Amino acid sequence: MNEYDSNRILDLVKKINYIPTKNLNEACCYILNTCHIREKATEKVYHDIGRVKKAFRKKTKPIVLIVGCVAQAEGDILLKKEKYIDAVIGPQSYHQINDIISKLETKSKPINYTEFEVIDKFDSLNSLKNSNNKISSFLTIQEGCNKFCKFCVVPYTRGAEFSRSITELVLEANQLVENGAREITLLGQNVNAYNNQNNKLSHLIFEISKIKNLKRIRYTTSHPTDFTKDLIEAHQSCEKLMPLIHLPIQSGSNKILKAMNRKHTIKDYLEVINSLIKVKPNIKFSSDFIIGYPGETYDDFKETIKLMKDIKFINSYSFIFSARPGTPAFKLKNIDQKDAKDRLVEFQEIAEKVKIQYRKKLTNKTINVLFENKMRDQNKYFGRDEHFNSVIVESNENLTGKIKNVKILEGNHITLYGEIVTNLNYNSFAA
Ligand code: SAM
Ligand code: SF4
């Protein structure tokens, strides 16, 4: 979502003649878009500011803006602690960035913009064409969260659930496709909780799927309790909907899920997975895991490992529990951190094995790849298959924006390498 927000910030500042530069030491304005989900993110902000300070030691200080969830959660602290920062702007206030920059151009005091103005934000953004021209583009459809998992900052930094209207989303999706997008990933912290005037995510998917040159639709991140029947059925009837679902589980232990206030059990989760497999047998899953949540015993952890082995997630993101100020879990007693680290290593080794076994089976298989770009200085193209695996092939033909059948020759845990198998039986179209 930060990538989507950053692109929209670029669209906004272009209006006041600010353009991106690759020459970081010459920039007159720095906009740092930040994430607050785990502890390291805040440290990174201070680290990045340190780098800017060093680069500009003998030059005029650039304008420095901190945008995003770190600004939202720690705005006042940041301004107090780091005088180099000119303004902090929350994720629901960045539509005001041009006013803020104009004020700062004429020298004013540090500014804190961290109100929740989500409706105003999208009203402002809707009048501005989305200029992102990637083959695979993001589109934020929903923001915020009402679920209040005990470990998570999102309800406090992004605010309550808000869903944009179908009309404005179809308009923006059309803009992205006109710019060249062939795949759109619909984004939300709770994307399948999307609800605008009783239109659900499945309605939106069907509306967007009518865009002729749009070939693929994805959505992320889903919550198990919001997997309604209509959405499950959409996976059967909408061919453009890709068969990979990122469905975070966090833990394989019911005791820990309850302690986290996840509002679902392992049984509920498995029911969702099985219903999806029933309508779409080639569907695959990826997930998020929090290792070492307060109260997690080794037996609880073993249940997480069992779940990984049973479901065979083709990708997973696992982190040690990070106590976030302001969340209910912040006050809980941490488990021994050496145990937590050991468990993370053990878990990630197993997750890697599961992934490698899955990938080995892809060798000599033919898969459908949407190519996103030519690789720098090479005759190679990068793309993704339906399950979001990265694929690289060599080609003299410009493949950007095309879907081709690719035979996988070899691969590692990051990339699959293959060759194009046919020019006859593929779904090709001009970018
Ligand atoms: N809404 C999604 C869901 O409930 O499944 C998850 C969105 S959250 C922004 C992304 C991921 O960050 C979570 O799935 C979780 O694994 C991780 N995360 C959030 N808070 C965390 C914390 N305090 N410590 C470690 N990981 C955390
Ligand atoms: Fe955070 Fe997701 Fe839980 Fe909402 S549902 S509080 S975004 S982890």
Side-chain angles (χ1 to χ4, degrees):
M1 190 169 284
N2 271 11
E3 188 174 326
Y4 175 86
D5 289 341
S6 296
N7 285 328
R8 296 305 269 154
I9 288 170
L10 272 185
D11 286 339
L12 283 162
V13 297
K14 272 182 201 154
K15 281 205 333 200
I16 54 165
N17 299 322
Y18 278 67
I19 52 162
T21 175
K22 287 204 169 91
N23 192 352
L24 295 187
N25 295 346
E26 296 297 328
C28 59
C29 175
Y30 274 80
I31 305 170
L32 250 96
N33 198 2
T34 61
C35 171
H36 198 244
I37 204 82
R38 281 176 298 271
E39 216 166 6
K40 292 240 161 64
T42 315
E43 289 164 25
K44 202 167 173 283
V45 173
Y46 289 117
H47 185 76
D48 283 347
I49 292 176
R51 280 215 324 257
V52 179
K53 267 176 152 174
K54 207 169 154 197
F56 283 81
R57 212 168 24 205
K58 293 185 183 143
K59 294 191 236 171
T60 313
K61 176 191 171 308
I63 293 175
V64 175
L65 309 177
I66 309 299
V67 189
C69 291
V70 175
Q72 185 67 44
E74 298 190 24
D76 286 334
I77 303 170
L78 286 170
L79 289 174
K80 221 165 151 185
K81 208 163 155 182
E82 182 50 86
K83 301 289 176 221
Y84 211 70
I85 300 171
D86 294 296
V88 288
I89 309 171
Q92 308 307 4
S93 307
Y94 70 74
H95 55 293
Q96 310 206 43
I97 197 160
N98 291 349
D99 287 345
I100 297 170
I101 293 177
S102 304
K103 277 188 193 149
L104 292 168
E105 279 171 340
T106 54
K107 285 268 172 273
S108 85
K109 287 193 293 221
I111 303 173
N112 185 335
Y113 268 79
T114 46
E115 296 302 310
F116 283 116
E117 301 172 39
V118 66
I119 299 175
D120 290 356
K121 178 178 86 174
F122 284 115
D123 280 352
S124 298
L125 292 177
N126 286 339
S127 61
L128 196 65
K129 195 170 179 277
N130 190 326
S131 68
N132 186 24
N133 59 3
K134 284 194 171 167
I135 298 297
S136 178
S137 286
F138 290 132
L139 175 55
T140 292
I141 66 163
Q142 180 277 336
E143 273 199 58
C145 180
N146 299 344
K147 298 224 163 37
F148 290 93
C149 298
K150 291 204 171 160
F151 53 81
C152 184
V153 290
V154 168
Y156 313 99
T157 56
R158 291 262 173 185
E161 277 175 13
F162 171 80
S163 299
R164 300 175 65 193
S165 77
I166 297 238
T167 317
E168 71 190 72
L169 289 168
V170 169
L171 192 85
E172 196 171 327
N174 267 302
Q175 288 170 2
L176 292 170
V177 175
E178 277 163 25
N179 296 347
R182 295 295 173 261
E183 172 175 284
I184 290 182
T185 302
L186 307 174
L187 297 179
Q189 272 87 33
N190 249 302
V191 75
N192 55 340
Y194 175 89
N195 189 330
N196 183 279
Q197 295 180 344
N198 288 330
N199 289 308
K200 293 181 166 179
L201 179 58
S202 60
H203 297 112
L204 177 66
I205 288 169
F206 281 114
E207 286 308 311
I208 287 182
S209 71
K210 290 178 191 158
I211 303 173
K212 189 167 161 269
N213 280 336
L214 180 66
K215 303 296 169 185
R216 290 179 167 186
I217 301 172
R218 303 182 188 275
Y219 58 88
T220 198
T221 294
S222 307
H223 192 280
T225 59
D226 291 317
F227 251 103
T228 46
K229 207 165 162 244
D230 53 304
L231 183 57
I232 293 172
E233 281 166 5
H235 278 274
Q236 186 169 40
S237 47
C238 180
E239 277 190 17
K240 293 186 180 182
L241 202 48
M242 290 296 101
L244 172 76
I245 296 179
H246 185 62
L247 192 57
I249 176 81
Q250 317 299 355
S251 169
S253 149
N254 279 326
K255 181 191 103 186
I256 295 297
L257 290 181
K258 195 160 182 230
M260 289 174 165
N261 190 30
R262 281 293 291 181
K263 301 184 173 72
H264 61 82
T265 61
I266 299 298
K267 185 167 169 275
D268 301 331
Y269 186 87
L270 293 176
E271 269 170 21
V272 172
I273 297 248
N274 288 333
S275 313
L276 283 158
I277 294 174
K278 209 166 161 189
V279 299
K280 192 88 181 168
N282 72 337
I283 206 156
K284 304 266 183 252
F285 300 91
S286 59
S287 197
D288 292 345
F289 296 85
I290 295 180
I291 306 295
Y293 189 74
E296 183 193 84
T297 61
Y298 193 71
D299 280 346
D300 297 321
F301 171 68
K302 279 201 304 206
E303 292 189 63
T304 306
I305 290 185
K306 182 177 180 308
L307 192 84
M308 166 55 79
K309 287 181 177 167
D310 286 350
I311 299 184
K312 297 187 176 56
F313 293 101
I314 67 166
N315 220 339
S316 63
Y317 304 88
S318 48
F319 296 93
I320 292 176
F321 164 70
S322 166
R324 309 308 289 126
T327 62
F330 183 67
K331 294 190 191 116
L332 300 178
K333 188 173 176 295
N334 257 342
I335 70 157
D336 182 283
Q337 289 305 282
K338 176 160 183 324
D339 285 350
K341 275 182 199 150
D342 289 348
R343 285 178 202 174
L344 184 70
V345 170
E346 188 178 343
F347 179 80
Q348 289 184 337
E349 276 173 3
I350 289 163
E352 200 64 14
K353 271 190 198 146
V354 169
K355 188 172 173 177
I356 286 171
Q357 273 165 10
Y358 155 71
R359 284 170 161 253
K360 264 193 188 152
K361 285 193 200 138
L362 291 176
T363 307
N364 291 326
K365 290 252 161 65
T366 298
I367 55 178
N368 219 233
V369 177
L370 168 62
F371 287 95
E372 295 181 19
N373 57 278
K374 188 170 191 270
M375 297 178 73
R376 209 182 292 162
D377 306 328
Q378 298 178 63
N379 246 7
K380 289 180 179 160
Y381 285 83
F382 169 88
R384 288 192 189 270
D385 73 354
E386 295 187 343
H387 296 109
F388 209 61
N389 295 309
S390 305
V391 181
I392 292 179
V393 301
E394 260 182 49
S395 170
N396 290 322
E397 180 194 342
N398 180 2
L399 298 179
T400 306
K402 294 177 182 170
I403 294 182
K404 299 271 187 183
N405 288 328
V406 172
K407 182 180 171 186
I408 297 304
L409 303 173
E410 56 176 335
N412 54 36
H413 64 294
I414 301 170
T415 311
L416 300 170
Y417 298 90
E419 62 184 11
I420 296 185
V421 282
T422 171
N423 280 332
L424 296 172
N425 189 20
Y426 65 82
N427 181 8
S428 170
F429 46 90

